[in-house]
Amino acid sequence: MSNTPKTPPVLPDNASPVQRVIAWIEYRLPIFSIMKHQGEYRTPKNLSYLWSFGSIAGIALVIQIVTGLFLSMNYTPQKDLAFDSVEHIMRDVRYGWLLRYVHAVGASMFFVAVYAHIARGLYYGSYKKPREMLWWFGIIIFLIMMATAFLGYVLPWGQMSYWGATVITNLFSAFDSIINGLGTAIVTLLWGGYSVDNPTLNRFYSLHFLLPFVLVGLVVVHLVALHIHGSNNPTGVDVKDEKDTIPFHPYYTIKDFAGFGVFFLIFAYLVFFAPNYLGHSDNYIPANPLVTPAHIVPEWYFLPFYAILRAIPDKLAGVLAMFSSILILFVLPWLDTHKVKSGRYRPLFKKFYWLFILSVTTLGYLGAQPAEGIYVILSRICALYYFSYFLVILPLLSKFEKARPLPESIAEDYRRKH
């Protein structure tokens, strides 16, 4: 980096006080140049509304941080007071009920946006060269999100919170089969003792408060990686010249705001008319270590992975399969090496992709059912297809699938449709 001093701006004699203040700030911190760059940043002209889910996820993250900050002012991370402090927020704190419902529903809406964002990336090949690092940071964000959501689910200290924490943290004890004592050491570290108790709640609360700020840092890196090679697009064809692009502002800011409108309508409906629809009624019962719920169910956004865990009778194999179902996304750019990125021009890929979406959705349903009979059998079938999609189908399609002809450029594709 050059150490050459930056030349001070030269302003006309009739410059207004506002212009002088802006120039003074710009000379010391070029924030206005950065904002101008964002406004002039050019993106492919054929992006659909599916590309708005990234911005929607960013808004959802901000909502979670703001509401979480205010909730933390009245929450007490102590096992004998946690449940009552949540009820205090709901009943006594002014607009506390609104803050809690926005935070609870916001978690689900955040995952809806991120799952849609990932599904779009899988269909249009957004993980392929040269965007592998962009994809990796996205998956890291997803993992931190899941950890944050799990930690937050424990904080109300209801029955499902307590037993969910007990069951999920106990999974790490399976690693004793690999190295004797390793799993037990991890579980003891997570619990802060020999059972889920007050130290566990304190640790989970501290991490739940910290991790969203880690997420913000990762999102910034994700955006930097995005700006290096730009957004992918529905054709998967790279930008060739300026005719293929339009400025992000005002075209895509307006498009994103239209997406925000729909997002907030659904959000508001759930908050005001069905705030507990996506939750579990058992969590309105105070945690009781002596009474196990008949059916322990995590939040809906964990259910596909929970179904994979329960589909395998061996504990260690189930835990490894559950973690592998997410970690496999890191090697996806090397499993799907087909030269055509977009599923729009890959007829066979398209069929297998929608079967994959169906299998994940079915796993989500099965994860909420009792682990018995036909539910276990179907979970095994769907889990088998889940891993076969990545490890068998995509590599084979990369070698043998014949894609449809691609447009010469993004501009040509845009002309055809408009």
Side-chain angles (χ1 to χ4, degrees):
M1 184 178 289
S2 174
N3 290 322
T4 305
K6 186 178 177 182
T7 305
V10 178
L11 294 174
D13 294 336
N14 61 346
S16 68
V18 174
Q19 289 174 318
R20 293 181 186 278
V21 170
I22 290 173
W24 187 89
I25 295 172
E26 179 69 19
Y27 180 57
R28 290 155 179 82
L29 183 67
I31 187 169
F32 297 103
S33 296
I34 295 170
M35 291 170 64
K36 185 180 179 184
H37 165 73
Q38 288 296 107
E40 295 173 350
Y41 175 68
R42 299 189 71 84
T43 52
K45 62 169 36 174
N46 61 339
L47 300 187
S48 68
Y49 279 103
L50 291 175
W51 266 257
S52 296
F53 281 108
S55 301
I56 289 170
I59 292 293
L61 175 58
V62 172
I63 291 170
Q64 292 304 97
I65 290 174
V66 172
T67 55
L69 182 64
F70 284 105
L71 287 170
S72 69
M73 296 175 185
N74 296 282
Y75 175 76
T76 307
Q78 206 278 338
K79 68 170 187 175
D80 296 322
L81 301 173
F83 186 87
D84 289 337
S85 72
V86 173
E87 289 304 305
H88 167 67
I89 289 169
M90 292 291 292
R91 298 167 186 271
D92 302 324
V93 176
R94 183 170 293 184
Y95 296 111
W97 63 272
L98 182 60
L99 284 171
R100 193 197 169 201
Y101 282 153
V102 168
H103 196 70
V105 172
S108 289
M109 295 301 288
F110 194 5
F111 272 94
V112 167
V114 168
Y115 278 133
H117 193 56
I118 293 172
R120 188 266 299 163
L122 290 172
Y123 185 77
Y124 290 110
S126 298
Y127 47 84
K128 294 188 177 182
K129 181 182 177 181
R131 297 181 179 86
E132 297 95 335
M133 290 295 291
L134 173 66
W135 178 255
W136 279 6
F137 279 111
I139 300 306
I140 293 170
I141 288 169
F142 180 52
L143 286 169
I144 300 294
M145 266 184 67
M146 296 185 84
T148 308
F150 167 68
L151 296 169
Y153 189 56
V154 176
L155 300 186
W157 213 241
Q159 273 289 76
M160 206 53 66
S161 296
Y162 178 87
W163 288 100
T166 302
V167 169
I168 299 302
T169 51
N170 248 318
L171 295 176
F172 289 96
S173 65
F175 293 121
D176 282 340
S177 303
I178 301 174
I179 300 175
N180 188 35
L182 174 64
T184 303
I186 294 172
V187 173
T188 305
L189 179 66
L190 291 171
W191 287 351
Y194 298 101
S195 65
V196 174
D197 211 307
N198 205 58
T200 317
L201 184 59
N202 274 275
R203 290 171 188 219
F204 281 24
Y205 174 67
S206 298
L207 289 171
H208 184 68
F209 194 93
L210 171 67
L211 288 180
F213 298 100
V214 175
L215 273 178
V216 171
L218 289 169
V219 168
V220 170
V221 178
H222 190 60
L223 290 173
V224 170
L226 172 66
H227 280 226
I228 290 172
H229 293 288
S231 297
N232 188 25
N233 65 88
T235 65
V237 176
D238 292 331
V239 172
K240 292 183 170 61
D241 54 43
E242 203 168 90
K243 292 180 181 178
D244 291 340
T245 63
I246 54 176
F248 185 85
H249 178 77
Y251 299 103
Y252 286 118
T253 48
I254 291 172
K255 201 164 191 174
D256 280 349
F257 271 96
F260 294 162
V262 176
F263 173 77
F264 282 119
L265 280 174
I266 299 170
F267 199 133
Y269 174 81
L270 288 172
V271 167
F272 294 110
F273 295 100
N276 297 303
Y277 181 73
L278 298 172
H280 199 289
S281 57
D282 279 6
N283 230 27
Y284 281 96
I285 303 170
N288 187 345
L290 302 178
V291 179
T292 308
H295 185 35
I296 299 171
V297 183
E299 289 284 70
W300 69 267
Y301 34 79
F302 296 132
L303 289 176
F305 311 106
Y306 188 58
I308 291 173
L309 168 73
R310 298 191 312 175
I312 301 173
D314 181 74
K315 184 177 181 179
L316 177 62
V319 170
L320 292 176
M322 181 182 71
F323 286 123
S324 297
S325 64
I326 302 171
L327 297 178
I328 198 171
L329 295 173
F330 281 105
V331 295
L332 181 57
W334 295 275
L335 295 173
D336 180 13
T337 56
H338 200 285
K339 291 181 180 180
V340 175
K341 294 177 184 175
S342 175
R344 181 190 287 182
Y345 303 100
R346 298 176 60 186
L348 283 177
F349 168 87
K350 192 183 296 186
K351 291 180 175 63
F352 287 113
Y353 170 84
W354 288 113
L355 281 174
F356 170 77
I357 296 297
L358 178 62
S359 74
V360 172
T361 307
T362 306
L363 282 169
Y365 167 76
L366 296 170
Q369 307 307 315
E372 59 189 29
I374 189 66
Y375 298 125
V376 175
I377 296 170
L378 289 174
S379 294
R380 289 172 182 167
I381 294 169
C382 291
L384 179 63
Y385 184 80
Y386 183 98
F387 286 104
S388 298
Y389 177 78
F390 291 112
L391 298 173
V392 179
I393 294 169
L394 289 181
L396 287 176
L397 289 178
S398 299
K399 289 186 177 182
F400 301 112
E401 184 180 18
K402 186 176 181 181
R404 289 165 44 207
L406 293 172
E408 290 294 322
S409 66
I410 294 170
E412 180 195 328
D413 176 71
Y414 188 82
R415 281 195 298 270
R416 283 182 195 170
K417 296 185 180 306
H418 298 84

